[in-house]
Amino acid sequence: MGSMTEFDYIVIGAGSAGCILADRLTESGQHRVLLLEAGAADRSLWLRMPLGFAKLYQHPKYNWRYSTTPQAELANQQVYTPRGKVLGGSGAINALVYVRGQAGDFDDWAAQGNPGWAYDDLLPWFKRLESHPLGDTRWHSSSGKIRITRDPVHPICQAFFAACASLGYASNDDFNGAQLGGYGTYDINTRDGRRDSSASAYLHPAMRRHNLTVKTRALAERILFDEQRRASGVDVLIGGQRQRFAARREIILSAGAVASPQLLQLSGIGDGALLQRHQIPLIHHAPAVGRKLQDHLCASFYFRANRPTMNDQIRHPWQQARAALQYWLKRRGLLATTVKAGGFFSSAGPDGPLDMQLYFNPLSYILPDNGGTPRIQPYSGYTLFFSPCRPSSRGSIQISSADIHSAPHIDPNYLATEQDRHTAIAGARLLRRLAATPALTQVTAEQTAPRPNGDDDASLLQFVREQSGSVYHLCGSCAMGLDGVVNSQLQVHGVTALRVVDASVFPNITSGNINAPTMMVAERAAGLVLGAG
């Protein structure tokens, strides 16, 4: 056993949230902070390049490469579930779409017994995050650390915009402004052609401080508690050797929606029966740990186009080499952005409640089954896919053994409710209506998958069951609330000096990509810890 080293705060997990906490808690110079990351340092050039996420999709060094348990409502598929294993976490390998969500998403958080988490309460914390091209407005700020970019879209995206307009939907030039609904171009978090993750924007500048210690390839094995059930330290495996670190003030668990509940359970906080089954001493019976897991499911439609798309700019090796040279010399071109068109819609029509997120990608590709990177189709193509905004199905994270090296059972329980099955059918119908508009038929040679077949509910639902996958927005497994895992201060019920700060605390999933709200949670949590939140 290594010698004990003391810090004021120990942050477990250097993902989207943990990097922000490490920065904010060390700003004053008054507190010593230890940041533990199970993965590697973020030195790869692929981590800097926005389109590099395709290379990281199955990368064993930077990605945990999880899969779910067989999903009963998805033809027993085991759905691939990438998670970041590197400084920056999943925010270092994602597609960079920056979306806050609907105001009502957060008002629902507050309504579930979490005062201070309504949208109006959180808007200042969202603004604190970002340096936005719109500058200082009611909705945005120009002085935050995360740079937001709006790049031009590929010309074929205009056909998608025209298709949306022809069905009566409105355009929206700011999905993070006054309203979420409508079609347009997504904001992304890049700076001068590089990914601007919380690792690059917050952590790297903070690493110059004497009061911050960062350890990579440091796998937290268990959280330690004293006789008063106060979180007092962490056992960590570094280079195969166990070391113990102590926290004078607090331990903050920011390991993500999979690893945070896993580590709580391995540390004795969880359902007593589960822990007994794995011979783990019980610290606090908390059956809510690992419950309420949520994710966005998506289904994709692929098309061969009759005019050029991004496929024509990058499918050949010599084109890829030219794009790489352009990127390294000028930080421009295809590799400098992950721009997608899309938006938020009501499947019931322009005047209904927002229940669907759409993506229009001017690229057609095949996702690999067993490793590797997505493969570009050898023809002009584009992809149109939908994701229901607020699924009602709830799943779970459960440890599979008492060994931290054993991946937990990840069960999102996709399409478990009638509401979710109905919404999936509605999403497929909306995409079919869009694909049938003159604006899109004029640029389309054929729909390659799924092949046109039955238009009845059963056929559409069967398509979703067989062809859908995760959008990688896992959250909710350590949910905030009176009957959840943490309280509105993000403190774990039943023990002291322990908080959870990451996407696992979401009481309900937000309408859209979750990296922006995860970083917001970290900003607000830092304020709570320091007495300013």
Side-chain angles (χ1 to χ4, degrees), residues 185 319 381 433:
T185 305
Q319 291 175 314
R433 291 200 302 273

Side-chain angles (χ1 to χ4, degrees), residues 292-303:
K292 296 186 179 180
L293 178 67
Q294 300 154 62
D295 188 22
H296 287 133
L297 192 68
C298 80
S300 302
F301 287 59
Y302 297 89
F303 300 85

Side-chain angles (χ1 to χ4, degrees), residues 409-424:
H409 296 302
I410 303 171
D411 180 13
N413 201 24
Y414 294 120
L415 296 184
T417 66
E418 184 63 33
Q419 174 186 325
D420 286 357
R421 293 190 290 271
H422 173 78
T423 307

Side-chain angles (χ1 to χ4, degrees), residues 137-157:
T137 70
R138 177 183 175 187
W139 306 107
H140 297 293
S141 169
S142 63
S143 57
K145 298 196 176 190
I146 298 289
R147 178 71 60 82
I148 306 303
T149 304
R150 293 180 169 183
D151 291 339
V153 295
H154 190 279
I156 201 171
C157 294

